[in-house]
């Protein structure tokens, strides 16, 4: 499958909301196409141990596996990629250290999007599309800002920030290659059901927009 | 210079006590032979930016440069080595990802020391020799514990934990190849003077123990 398609339903872990391993398993079972392991402020060894478990699960379900921020963990657990934002390693440095890894760049403006593409990012995580419960301080790009980015870059764009069951259709119709969520799934009582119903909307709207798979 | 000799006076940064760049410069000017960059809980980008500055300084002063915990930062800033403890990446995983990097293992018992050597560590940081102001929860090995480790491994051993101007001579006489300090230098009002006076003691006692350089 092309990277663009593997990014379609992109679920990000959040240990403040759910245990990583059980929530990822539920999300994969319900059809998530990509998993991002995002752990802040835990010992490296713990990230490594959890990260290896997520690697096994994502292999079992043939899902894309991205690690947030930490190139050491991404390499150590043999993840498919690493997600880098402005506070993380520079894209060009990560590319030199890991020529074959997928690099997703977190961008918050058109300027950052163009720069990340120029520096060699393989895809963008662009946001925040909406105000986000997980990152309340993030600047809001809006659907218009998202559309502008999508129209001006050639690499795949995953939309992120405040996306939920109620607005995901609008985001896909805006042209996003994928949608990334934290709270919409991880804050739900039942991660499997929340992912499944999100997946149904996502697949239906992609069929509308792009025709049958 | 052999690794064993480069480890002789090993200074570890602590941003809770001093800014890394200015304190490292002062320590190098006073004769530190090795610097460990140790930053917890800062964004990766900041570690990278500070880490590159320390790389330039350690090159200028021909000092060994080790990064604590973070193999991604060590590789990104082209440090000489990485220091790995029980909460960090496993030694054998780091070795596979970075075959040529120097790996220092933080060990707190004879068993850990033997295991780290077996797994391919290039040197040990063994402690805590004394109760440590920087790591008050660390288990205390004592001089006897340190001596036992030194007698049973073949790789260099840097002693760490509560070492200061008053006890450093005892630590060297116990057979340590080097001494690592945080508070003894970083909590001092004048890092340069604190390092210089420590260096004088260290060099003098090594001459006593091993003869002229």
């Amino acid at each position: 499958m092309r990277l663009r398609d593997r990014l379609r339903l992109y679920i990000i872990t959040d240990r403040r909301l759910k245990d990583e391993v059980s929530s990822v398993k539920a999300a994969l079972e319900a059809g998530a196409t990509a998993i991002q392991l995002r752990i802040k402020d835990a010992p490296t060894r713990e990230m490594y141990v959890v990260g290896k478990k997520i690697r096994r699960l994502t292999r079992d379900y043939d899902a894309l596996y991205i690690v947030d921020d930490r190139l050491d963990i991404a390499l150590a657990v043999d993840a498919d990629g690493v997600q880098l934002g402005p506070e993380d390693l520079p894209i060009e440095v990560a590319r030199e250290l890991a020529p074959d890894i997928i690099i997703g760049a977190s961008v918050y403006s058109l300027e950052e999007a163009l720069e990340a593409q120029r520096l060699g990012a393989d895809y963008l995580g662009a946001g925040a599309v909406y105000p986000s419960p997980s990152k309340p301080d993030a600047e809001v790009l809006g659907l218009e800002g998202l559309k502008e980015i999508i129209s001006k870059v050639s690499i795949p764009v995953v939309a992120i920030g405040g996306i939920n069951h109620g607005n995901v259709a609008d985001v896909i119709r805006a042209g996003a290659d994928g949608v990334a969520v934290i709270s919409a799934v991880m804050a739900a009582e039942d991660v499997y059901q929340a992912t499944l119903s999100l997946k149904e909307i996502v697949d239906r709207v992609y069929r509308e927009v792009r025709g049958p798979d």
Side-chain angles (χ1 to χ4, degrees), chain A residues 125-166:
Chain A
V129 181
Y130 302 106
S132 157
S134 303
K135 289 190 174 182
D137 301 334
E139 264 192 63
V140 174
L141 202 61
L143 273 185
E144 291 310 310
L146 176 67
K147 280 186 201 172
E148 196 182 8
I149 289 174
I150 291 167
S151 71
K152 295 198 167 148
V153 300
S154 56
I155 54 179
V157 176
V158 178
I160 186 167
I163 299 172
N164 57 40
H165 298 70

mmCIF file of all heavy atoms in Angstrom, chain A residues 125-166:
data_model
loop_
_atom_site.group_PDB
_atom_site.id
_atom_site.type_symbol
_atom_site.label_atom_id
_atom_site.label_comp_id
_atom_site.label_asym_id
_atom_site.label_seq_id
_atom_site.Cartn_x
_atom_site.Cartn_y
_atom_site.Cartn_z
ATOM 1 N N GLY A 125 2.119 16.079 9.310
ATOM 2 C CA GLY A 125 0.998 16.119 10.240
ATOM 3 C C GLY A 125 0.684 17.601 10.410
ATOM 4 O O GLY A 125 1.479 18.327 11.017
ATOM 5 N N ALA A 126 -0.414 18.054 9.852
ATOM 6 C CA ALA A 126 -0.701 19.493 9.812
ATOM 7 C C ALA A 126 -1.856 19.835 10.731
ATOM 8 O O ALA A 126 -2.913 19.197 10.691
ATOM 9 C CB ALA A 126 -1.002 19.942 8.386
ATOM 10 N N GLY A 127 -1.647 20.839 11.568
ATOM 11 C CA GLY A 127 -2.717 21.210 12.492
ATOM 12 C C GLY A 127 -2.388 22.480 13.251
ATOM 13 O O GLY A 127 -1.433 23.158 12.905
ATOM 14 N N ALA A 128 -3.136 22.784 14.262
ATOM 15 C CA ALA A 128 -4.331 22.063 14.652
ATOM 16 C C ALA A 128 -5.492 22.491 13.742
ATOM 17 O O ALA A 128 -5.724 23.683 13.586
ATOM 18 C CB ALA A 128 -4.696 22.368 16.103
ATOM 19 N N VAL A 129 -6.202 21.510 13.189
ATOM 20 C CA VAL A 129 -7.363 21.840 12.356
ATOM 21 C C VAL A 129 -8.453 22.490 13.212
ATOM 22 O O VAL A 129 -9.050 23.496 12.830
ATOM 23 C CB VAL A 129 -7.905 20.576 11.656
ATOM 24 C CG1 VAL A 129 -9.091 20.951 10.769
ATOM 25 C CG2 VAL A 129 -6.817 19.907 10.831
ATOM 26 N N TYR A 130 -8.681 21.906 14.356
ATOM 27 C CA TYR A 130 -9.643 22.448 15.320
ATOM 28 C C TYR A 130 -8.944 22.590 16.674
ATOM 29 O O TYR A 130 -7.915 21.950 16.891
ATOM 30 C CB TYR A 130 -10.843 21.501 15.465
ATOM 31 C CG TYR A 130 -11.574 21.215 14.172
ATOM 32 C CD1 TYR A 130 -11.434 19.983 13.537
ATOM 33 C CD2 TYR A 130 -12.402 22.177 13.590
ATOM 34 C CE1 TYR A 130 -12.106 19.715 12.355
ATOM 35 C CE2 TYR A 130 -13.077 21.911 12.397
ATOM 36 C CZ TYR A 130 -12.924 20.681 11.789
ATOM 37 O OH TYR A 130 -13.581 20.422 10.621
ATOM 38 N N PRO A 131 -9.506 23.346 17.573
ATOM 39 C CA PRO A 131 -8.947 23.366 18.933
ATOM 40 C C PRO A 131 -8.920 21.942 19.485
ATOM 41 O O PRO A 131 -9.866 21.182 19.285
ATOM 42 C CB PRO A 131 -9.935 24.248 19.714
ATOM 43 C CG PRO A 131 -10.611 25.085 18.684
ATOM 44 C CD PRO A 131 -10.679 24.244 17.434
ATOM 45 N N SER A 132 -7.818 21.582 20.134
ATOM 46 C CA SER A 132 -7.604 20.189 20.514
ATOM 47 C C SER A 132 -7.628 19.996 22.023
ATOM 48 O O SER A 132 -6.942 20.706 22.756
ATOM 49 C CB SER A 132 -6.249 19.740 19.969
ATOM 50 O OG SER A 132 -5.766 18.653 20.702
ATOM 51 N N PRO A 133 -8.392 19.010 22.491
ATOM 52 C CA PRO A 133 -8.383 18.714 23.927
ATOM 53 C C PRO A 133 -7.023 18.197 24.393
ATOM 54 O O PRO A 133 -6.645 18.379 25.556
ATOM 55 C CB PRO A 133 -9.433 17.608 24.081
ATOM 56 C CG PRO A 133 -10.109 17.457 22.759
ATOM 57 C CD PRO A 133 -9.262 18.114 21.725
ATOM 58 N N SER A 134 -6.260 17.542 23.504
ATOM 59 C CA SER A 134 -4.972 16.967 23.902
ATOM 60 C C SER A 134 -3.855 17.997 23.914
ATOM 61 O O SER A 134 -2.885 17.867 24.643
ATOM 62 C CB SER A 134 -4.574 15.831 22.954
ATOM 63 O OG SER A 134 -5.570 14.850 22.923
ATOM 64 N N LYS A 135 -3.962 19.000 23.045
ATOM 65 C CA LYS A 135 -2.938 20.042 22.986
ATOM 66 C C LYS A 135 -3.627 21.407 22.980
ATOM 67 O O LYS A 135 -3.698 22.077 21.937
ATOM 68 C CB LYS A 135 -2.100 19.892 21.704
ATOM 69 C CG LYS A 135 -1.168 18.701 21.699
ATOM 70 C CD LYS A 135 -0.206 18.801 20.492
ATOM 71 C CE LYS A 135 0.848 17.734 20.485
ATOM 72 N NZ LYS A 135 1.793 17.869 19.349
ATOM 73 N N PRO A 136 -4.117 21.813 24.143
ATOM 74 C CA PRO A 136 -4.938 23.026 24.197
ATOM 75 C C PRO A 136 -4.195 24.294 23.758
ATOM 76 O O PRO A 136 -4.840 25.272 23.364
ATOM 77 C CB PRO A 136 -5.369 23.096 25.662
ATOM 78 C CG PRO A 136 -4.485 22.169 26.406
ATOM 79 C CD PRO A 136 -3.992 21.154 25.443
ATOM 80 N N ASP A 137 -2.861 24.267 23.804
ATOM 81 C CA ASP A 137 -2.108 25.479 23.451
ATOM 82 C C ASP A 137 -1.785 25.586 21.962
ATOM 83 O O ASP A 137 -1.263 26.603 21.510
ATOM 84 C CB ASP A 137 -0.779 25.521 24.225
ATOM 85 C CG ASP A 137 -1.027 25.502 25.733
ATOM 86 O OD1 ASP A 137 -2.118 25.938 26.162
ATOM 87 O OD2 ASP A 137 -0.123 25.044 26.457
ATOM 88 N N ALA A 138 -2.067 24.537 21.205
ATOM 89 C CA ALA A 138 -1.679 24.544 19.787
ATOM 90 C C ALA A 138 -2.451 25.618 19.017
ATOM 91 O O ALA A 138 -3.639 25.854 19.265
ATOM 92 C CB ALA A 138 -1.957 23.167 19.179
ATOM 93 N N GLU A 139 -1.772 26.257 18.093
ATOM 94 C CA GLU A 139 -2.445 27.247 17.245
ATOM 95 C C GLU A 139 -3.404 26.558 16.285
ATOM 96 O O GLU A 139 -3.119 25.480 15.773
ATOM 97 C CB GLU A 139 -1.415 28.028 16.437
ATOM 98 C CG GLU A 139 -1.052 29.347 17.108
ATOM 99 C CD GLU A 139 -0.255 30.238 16.179
ATOM 100 O OE1 GLU A 139 -0.801 30.632 15.127
ATOM 101 O OE2 GLU A 139 0.903 30.525 16.516
ATOM 102 N N VAL A 140 -4.527 27.199 16.026
ATOM 103 C CA VAL A 140 -5.543 26.575 15.175
ATOM 104 C C VAL A 140 -5.388 27.070 13.733
ATOM 105 O O VAL A 140 -5.394 28.262 13.450
ATOM 106 C CB VAL A 140 -6.950 26.866 15.711
ATOM 107 C CG1 VAL A 140 -8.008 26.331 14.745
ATOM 108 C CG2 VAL A 140 -7.127 26.220 17.087
ATOM 109 N N LEU A 141 -5.230 26.084 12.855
ATOM 110 C CA LEU A 141 -5.023 26.325 11.431
ATOM 111 C C LEU A 141 -6.370 26.509 10.738
ATOM 112 O O LEU A 141 -6.505 27.289 9.793
ATOM 113 C CB LEU A 141 -4.326 25.070 10.886
ATOM 114 C CG LEU A 141 -3.524 25.068 9.631
ATOM 115 C CD1 LEU A 141 -2.350 26.024 9.733
ATOM 116 C CD2 LEU A 141 -2.985 23.647 9.384
ATOM 117 N N GLY A 142 -7.350 25.755 11.175
ATOM 118 C CA GLY A 142 -8.662 25.770 10.542
ATOM 119 C C GLY A 142 -8.669 24.941 9.267
ATOM 120 O O GLY A 142 -7.622 24.548 8.758
ATOM 121 N N LEU A 143 -9.884 24.693 8.746
ATOM 122 C CA LEU A 143 -10.011 23.910 7.511
ATOM 123 C C LEU A 143 -9.389 24.646 6.331
ATOM 124 O O LEU A 143 -8.800 24.032 5.446
ATOM 125 C CB LEU A 143 -11.490 23.644 7.216
ATOM 126 C CG LEU A 143 -12.134 22.417 7.845
ATOM 127 C CD1 LEU A 143 -13.556 22.270 7.327
ATOM 128 C CD2 LEU A 143 -11.318 21.157 7.559
ATOM 129 N N GLU A 144 -9.519 25.982 6.351
ATOM 130 C CA GLU A 144 -8.960 26.760 5.235
ATOM 131 C C GLU A 144 -7.436 26.676 5.219
ATOM 132 O O GLU A 144 -6.822 26.518 4.161
ATOM 133 C CB GLU A 144 -9.424 28.229 5.322
ATOM 134 C CG GLU A 144 -10.913 28.417 5.041
ATOM 135 C CD GLU A 144 -11.357 27.725 3.753
ATOM 136 O OE1 GLU A 144 -10.698 27.933 2.709
ATOM 137 O OE2 GLU A 144 -12.349 26.955 3.788
ATOM 138 N N GLY A 145 -6.841 26.806 6.411
ATOM 139 C CA GLY A 145 -5.382 26.690 6.510
ATOM 140 C C GLY A 145 -4.915 25.300 6.076
ATOM 141 O O GLY A 145 -3.884 25.159 5.397
ATOM 142 N N LEU A 146 -5.686 24.291 6.461
ATOM 143 C CA LEU A 146 -5.357 22.919 6.054
ATOM 144 C C LEU A 146 -5.412 22.776 4.537
ATOM 145 O O LEU A 146 -4.495 22.235 3.907
ATOM 146 C CB LEU A 146 -6.345 21.944 6.707
ATOM 147 C CG LEU A 146 -6.192 20.478 6.298
ATOM 148 C CD1 LEU A 146 -4.871 19.893 6.806
ATOM 149 C CD2 LEU A 146 -7.366 19.639 6.805
ATOM 150 N N LYS A 147 -6.491 23.299 3.927
ATOM 151 C CA LYS A 147 -6.643 23.209 2.463
ATOM 152 C C LYS A 147 -5.493 23.890 1.741
ATOM 153 O O LYS A 147 -5.015 23.410 0.711
ATOM 154 C CB LYS A 147 -7.953 23.892 2.029
ATOM 155 C CG LYS A 147 -9.185 23.044 2.216
ATOM 156 C CD LYS A 147 -10.392 23.779 1.616
ATOM 157 C CE LYS A 147 -11.685 23.269 2.198
ATOM 158 N NZ LYS A 147 -12.845 24.065 1.787
ATOM 159 N N GLU A 148 -5.077 25.022 2.285
ATOM 160 C CA GLU A 148 -3.993 25.748 1.630
ATOM 161 C C GLU A 148 -2.707 24.912 1.630
ATOM 162 O O GLU A 148 -2.012 24.819 0.610
ATOM 163 C CB GLU A 148 -3.756 27.099 2.338
ATOM 164 C CG GLU A 148 -2.939 28.035 1.466
ATOM 165 C CD GLU A 148 -2.638 29.368 2.128
ATOM 166 O OE1 GLU A 148 -2.932 29.525 3.331
ATOM 167 O OE2 GLU A 148 -2.098 30.247 1.426
ATOM 168 N N ILE A 149 -2.430 24.305 2.784
ATOM 169 C CA ILE A 149 -1.241 23.444 2.855
ATOM 170 C C ILE A 149 -1.353 22.295 1.853
ATOM 171 O O ILE A 149 -0.425 22.021 1.085
ATOM 172 C CB ILE A 149 -1.038 22.916 4.296
ATOM 173 C CG1 ILE A 149 -0.581 24.059 5.208
ATOM 174 C CG2 ILE A 149 -0.041 21.765 4.327
ATOM 175 C CD1 ILE A 149 -0.484 23.705 6.682
ATOM 176 N N ILE A 150 -2.496 21.635 1.864
ATOM 177 C CA ILE A 150 -2.686 20.480 0.963
ATOM 178 C C ILE A 150 -2.481 20.882 -0.499
ATOM 179 O O ILE A 150 -1.882 20.142 -1.287
ATOM 180 C CB ILE A 150 -4.102 19.878 1.168
ATOM 181 C CG1 ILE A 150 -4.178 19.217 2.550
ATOM 182 C CG2 ILE A 150 -4.449 18.881 0.060
ATOM 183 C CD1 ILE A 150 -5.589 18.862 2.997
ATOM 184 N N SER A 151 -2.931 22.090 -0.843
ATOM 185 C CA SER A 151 -2.834 22.524 -2.249
ATOM 186 C C SER A 151 -1.405 22.886 -2.639
ATOM 187 O O SER A 151 -1.085 22.932 -3.820
ATOM 188 C CB SER A 151 -3.758 23.716 -2.495
ATOM 189 O OG SER A 151 -3.226 24.864 -1.835
ATOM 190 N N LYS A 152 -0.553 23.127 -1.645
ATOM 191 C CA LYS A 152 0.789 23.630 -1.971
ATOM 192 C C LYS A 152 1.932 22.647 -1.705
ATOM 193 O O LYS A 152 3.090 22.977 -1.960
ATOM 194 C CB LYS A 152 1.033 24.941 -1.237
ATOM 195 C CG LYS A 152 0.066 26.017 -1.741
ATOM 196 C CD LYS A 152 0.474 27.419 -1.430
ATOM 197 C CE LYS A 152 -0.378 28.398 -2.243
ATOM 198 N NZ LYS A 152 -0.624 29.659 -1.557
ATOM 199 N N VAL A 153 1.629 21.475 -1.181
ATOM 200 C CA VAL A 153 2.698 20.478 -1.025
ATOM 201 C C VAL A 153 2.340 19.243 -1.845
ATOM 202 O O VAL A 153 1.169 19.013 -2.182
ATOM 203 C CB VAL A 153 2.932 20.073 0.455
ATOM 204 C CG1 VAL A 153 3.325 21.269 1.302
ATOM 205 C CG2 VAL A 153 1.714 19.361 1.036
ATOM 206 N N SER A 154 3.368 18.446 -2.143
ATOM 207 C CA SER A 154 3.130 17.237 -2.936
ATOM 208 C C SER A 154 3.155 15.971 -2.087
ATOM 209 O O SER A 154 2.735 14.911 -2.542
ATOM 210 C CB SER A 154 4.175 17.140 -4.050
ATOM 211 O OG SER A 154 5.473 17.169 -3.469
ATOM 212 N N ILE A 155 3.661 16.080 -0.849
ATOM 213 C CA ILE A 155 3.710 14.895 0.014
ATOM 214 C C ILE A 155 2.368 14.742 0.738
ATOM 215 O O ILE A 155 1.588 15.699 0.826
ATOM 216 C CB ILE A 155 4.878 14.982 1.034
ATOM 217 C CG1 ILE A 155 4.813 16.286 1.856
ATOM 218 C CG2 ILE A 155 6.219 14.873 0.312
ATOM 219 C CD1 ILE A 155 5.930 16.420 2.898
ATOM 220 N N PRO A 156 2.073 13.537 1.227
ATOM 221 C CA PRO A 156 0.800 13.314 1.912
ATOM 222 C C PRO A 156 0.645 14.196 3.152
ATOM 223 O O PRO A 156 1.639 14.509 3.822
ATOM 224 C CB PRO A 156 0.875 11.833 2.322
ATOM 225 C CG PRO A 156 1.888 11.212 1.428
ATOM 226 C CD PRO A 156 2.875 12.288 1.114
ATOM 227 N N VAL A 157 -0.598 14.568 3.421
ATOM 228 C CA VAL A 157 -0.908 15.406 4.577
ATOM 229 C C VAL A 157 -1.922 14.695 5.472
ATOM 230 O O VAL A 157 -3.014 14.338 5.023
ATOM 231 C CB VAL A 157 -1.475 16.777 4.142
ATOM 232 C CG1 VAL A 157 -1.877 17.599 5.369
ATOM 233 C CG2 VAL A 157 -0.464 17.533 3.281
ATOM 234 N N VAL A 158 -1.527 14.494 6.718
ATOM 235 C CA VAL A 158 -2.440 13.976 7.734
ATOM 236 C C VAL A 158 -2.913 15.169 8.554
ATOM 237 O O VAL A 158 -2.093 15.937 9.071
ATOM 238 C CB VAL A 158 -1.715 12.974 8.658
ATOM 239 C CG1 VAL A 158 -2.654 12.477 9.750
ATOM 240 C CG2 VAL A 158 -1.153 11.821 7.853
ATOM 241 N N ALA A 159 -4.200 15.313 8.675
ATOM 242 C CA ALA A 159 -4.750 16.413 9.475
ATOM 243 C C ALA A 159 -4.819 15.993 10.925
ATOM 244 O O ALA A 159 -5.093 14.833 11.243
ATOM 245 C CB ALA A 159 -6.135 16.765 8.964
ATOM 246 N N ILE A 160 -4.541 16.943 11.819
ATOM 247 C CA ILE A 160 -4.543 16.628 13.246
ATOM 248 C C ILE A 160 -5.078 17.824 14.034
ATOM 249 O O ILE A 160 -4.972 18.965 13.586
ATOM 250 C CB ILE A 160 -3.126 16.222 13.721
ATOM 251 C CG1 ILE A 160 -3.151 15.746 15.182
ATOM 252 C CG2 ILE A 160 -2.117 17.345 13.530
ATOM 253 C CD1 ILE A 160 -1.880 15.046 15.612
ATOM 254 N N GLY A 161 -5.627 17.530 15.193
ATOM 255 C CA GLY A 161 -6.046 18.597 16.087
ATOM 256 C C GLY A 161 -7.553 18.715 16.192
ATOM 257 O O GLY A 161 -8.191 19.293 15.318
ATOM 258 N N GLY A 162 -8.109 18.173 17.245
ATOM 259 C CA GLY A 162 -9.538 18.327 17.519
ATOM 260 C C GLY A 162 -10.453 17.576 16.576
ATOM 261 O O GLY A 162 -11.651 17.863 16.517
ATOM 262 N N ILE A 163 -9.910 16.629 15.836
ATOM 263 C CA ILE A 163 -10.743 15.867 14.894
ATOM 264 C C ILE A 163 -11.514 14.792 15.660
ATOM 265 O O ILE A 163 -10.950 14.089 16.500
ATOM 266 C CB ILE A 163 -9.879 15.251 13.773
ATOM 267 C CG1 ILE A 163 -9.188 16.377 12.990
ATOM 268 C CG2 ILE A 163 -10.735 14.379 12.857
ATOM 269 C CD1 ILE A 163 -8.157 15.901 11.989
ATOM 270 N N ASN A 164 -12.819 14.698 15.356
ATOM 271 C CA ASN A 164 -13.656 13.706 16.038
ATOM 272 C C ASN A 164 -14.718 13.171 15.069
ATOM 273 O O ASN A 164 -14.718 13.519 13.883
ATOM 274 C CB ASN A 164 -14.291 14.316 17.295
ATOM 275 C CG ASN A 164 -15.103 15.567 16.964
ATOM 276 O OD1 ASN A 164 -15.803 15.610 15.945
ATOM 277 N ND2 ASN A 164 -14.998 16.596 17.807
ATOM 278 N N HIS A 165 -15.606 12.349 15.599
ATOM 279 C CA HIS A 165 -16.618 11.728 14.745
ATOM 280 C C HIS A 165 -17.504 12.764 14.058
ATOM 281 O O HIS A 165 -18.012 12.522 12.969
ATOM 282 C CB HIS A 165 -17.482 10.773 15.567
ATOM 283 C CG HIS A 165 -16.706 9.643 16.159
ATOM 284 N ND1 HIS A 165 -15.793 9.820 17.183
ATOM 285 C CD2 HIS A 165 -16.672 8.317 15.852
ATOM 286 C CE1 HIS A 165 -15.247 8.644 17.499
ATOM 287 N NE2 HIS A 165 -15.751 7.728 16.707
ATOM 288 N N GLY A 166 -17.675 13.902 14.687
ATOM 289 C CA GLY A 166 -18.581 14.917 14.150
ATOM 290 C C GLY A 166 -17.980 15.750 13.027
ATOM 291 O O GLY A 166 -18.720 16.242 12.157
#
